[in-house]
Amino acid sequence: AENCTSNLRINTDPVNYLMERNITQGELIEEFKIGFSDGAILSRIPEDDVETLEILRKAGLIIGRQELFKNCIVFPIIDENGLIHSFYGRCMDHSRESRHFNAGGRLRGLYNPRALIVKEIYLCESIIDALSLMTLGFRNVTCSYGVNGFTEEMLQKFEEADIKKVTFCFDADKAGLKATEVIAERLKVKNISSSRINLPHSNLNNQPV
């Protein structure tokens, strides 16, 4: 993890990408342990170190002899106790088939669980969107893992934290609007109200969902 964070500081492309997404606060990068994988993990591990290789495979970081997050900005999913549940990778390599990679095939846990300290929170469509909003000074922010990535675990944590209102910050495209409607109905069952901020305009005119 330490090598991953150090790699981010010395690689231009991931730093420029984060700046383009308005993720410019160094303290956010440190707090959320954002890093960059240069694809050199396997070269640092002897082939006979079976134990380490097995740990990496179980974590979903290594598939066979291939590194999942090669040339990716890596975002750990960290719980309220500082334990890492999963990893999301945003690939900088245009030659790879996908730009998005999840350790183990899916993301678990809730991003930025400290957001639940207050009773009204912002729900973004992705980790990167959530961090962009935090850069503007909002800290009661968490996210779905894509338009179809709002999990039962997230809903349960909202209920346990007695969240009263969720403001959606999803993209104002067809998929984003549909997702807000579906999630809003799930929230309503738990007596959690919701509204929506129209993106990408971000005019902060809340509209009831």
Side-chain angles (χ1 to χ4, degrees):
E2 185 175 346
N3 283 336
C4 195
T5 303
S6 299
N7 285 339
L8 179 64
R9 301 190 188 102
I10 62 175
N11 283 273
T12 303
D13 287 347
V15 170
N16 287 342
Y17 175 79
L18 291 175
M19 292 181 68
E20 288 172 2
R21 298 300 300 268
N22 297 319
I23 304 170
T24 57
Q25 295 182 8
E27 60 267 28
L28 280 181
I29 292 172
E30 294 294 332
E31 178 182 349
F32 291 97
K33 303 185 187 306
I34 302 168
F36 179 72
S37 175
D38 59 6
I41 289 179
L42 288 173
S43 67
R44 300 187 182 105
I45 303 171
E47 290 192 15
D48 59 356
D49 188 352
V50 179
E51 183 177 355
T52 299
L53 289 171
E54 186 61 24
I55 290 171
L56 293 174
R57 288 192 180 104
K58 285 184 177 179
L61 302 179
I62 300 294
I63 301 175
R65 289 291 299 178
Q66 299 294 321
E67 183 181 339
L68 178 66
F69 292 124
K70 181 179 180 180
N71 295 324
C72 287
I73 304 174
V74 181
F75 302 84
I77 314 299
I78 306 169
D79 70 12
E80 58 272 18
N81 299 312
L83 300 176
I84 295 176
H85 277 251
S86 189
F87 297 89
Y88 162 69
R90 173 55 166 83
C91 189
M92 297 288 100
D93 185 351
H94 295 277
S95 67
R96 297 186 71 176
E97 291 184 4
S98 176
R99 295 289 185 87
H100 308 281
F101 295 90
N102 302 326
R106 67 184 183 90
L107 296 176
R108 297 179 292 108
L110 180 73
Y111 200 72
N112 188 31
R114 294 179 185 176
L116 303 185
I117 293 174
V118 299
K119 302 305 179 186
E120 296 187 10
I121 63 172
Y122 293 91
L123 182 68
C124 294
E125 189 172 314
S126 70
I127 290 174
I128 295 173
D129 289 344
L131 288 165
S132 297
L133 191 55
M134 288 184 219
T135 300
L136 297 177
F138 299 89
R139 297 311 298 266
N140 53 327
V141 181
T142 187
C143 64
S144 174
Y145 300 136
V147 290
N148 298 314
F150 186 77
T151 66
E152 283 298 321
E153 179 184 11
M154 294 174 183
L155 184 59
Q156 181 179 346
K157 287 185 178 295
F158 285 11
E159 186 178 19
E160 291 172 351
D162 195 28
I163 297 300
K164 301 298 184 185
K165 182 181 178 181
V166 171
T167 299
F168 290 97
C169 301
F170 281 35
D171 293 342
D173 55 15
K174 184 177 180 179
L177 295 174
K178 178 62 177 178
T180 59
E181 292 176 2
V182 171
I183 299 171
E185 287 300 317
R186 294 171 67 186
L187 295 172
K188 187 176 180 180
V189 173
K190 303 297 183 180
N191 296 315
I192 302 173
S193 65
S194 61
S195 62
R196 181 179 68 245
I197 293 176
N198 280 332
L199 298 179
H201 306 293
S202 299
N203 57 16
L204 300 184
N205 290 325
N206 286 359
Q207 297 184 6
V209 177

